[in-house]
Amino acid sequence: MNQIIVPKDGLQFISEDGRVLLVIHPSEDKLGLFICNNQGTPVINMVASKDGGILGVADGRGKPVALMRPEKEGGHLVIFNNQDKVVARILAHENGGGLIIFNNQEKIVEILAVNKYGDGRLVITNNSGEVIFEK
């Protein structure tokens, strides 16, 4: 099997016409792998560490649109709008799964989750954080 020794400052894979295609960036405690689009902008970002992996997806300009990572209770998915604001989170917790929706000021306006009895729970709030519906 062929081997490539990755230098401490990383390794870039570049096309014949000079475009950056892939970057490998090692550090003491993690490893980053970045896949670039035809313009050389990283659009897929993967990081591996002792705590697990992180997968990030960006638009063509490199702005993040989704991030998936491990948490104490399981997986966690974060969705961003085109102003880099979090608009939704899907996560695992001790009772099951959960979905949190944010407005454009990153205030929580809806929570859909499983309660400690295994039942579904829905909470909707207004922009001030006041509960306007709960079931």
Side-chain angles (χ1 to χ4, degrees):
M1 176 187 316
N2 291 329
Q3 293 183 351
I4 296 173
I5 306 297
V6 178
K8 289 181 181 180
D9 61 346
L11 179 66
Q12 288 187 341
F13 291 79
I14 299 175
S15 68
E16 289 181 1
D17 61 355
R19 291 179 292 118
V20 177
L21 305 172
L22 178 77
V23 177
I24 298 174
H25 190 274
S27 70
E28 229 174 85
D29 59 344
K30 57 186 147 186
L31 173 69
L33 176 68
F34 308 95
I35 301 173
C36 302
N37 63 14
N38 285 338
Q39 290 71 40
T41 303
V43 294
I44 304 289
N45 306 310
M46 295 180 273
V47 176
S49 73
K50 66 178 177 70
D51 299 322
I54 298 173
L55 174 63
V57 178
D59 66 14
R61 300 167 296 159
K63 296 270 216 174
V65 296
L67 177 71
M68 187 169 44
R69 67 177 187 244
E71 293 286 337
K72 179 182 170 191
E73 301 289 339
H76 188 162
L77 175 65
V78 182
I79 306 295
F80 301 89
N81 67 12
N82 59 9
Q83 285 89 38
D84 298 329
K85 296 192 183 222
V86 174
V87 296
R89 292 180 184 263
I90 300 173
L91 55 130
H93 60 84
E94 63 185 10
N95 301 320
L99 170 64
I100 303 170
I101 305 293
F102 299 82
N103 66 14
N104 61 2
Q105 288 131 18
E106 293 185 293
K107 293 182 180 179
I108 296 173
V109 293
E110 185 174 327
I111 300 171
L112 179 60
V114 179
N115 68 20
K116 65 182 178 181
Y117 306 107
D119 301 324
R121 181 167 183 243
L122 173 63
V123 178
I124 300 173
T125 64
N126 63 18
N127 196 36
S128 300
E130 300 167 17
V131 174
I132 56 175
F133 179 85
E134 185 169 7
K135 179 83 176 159

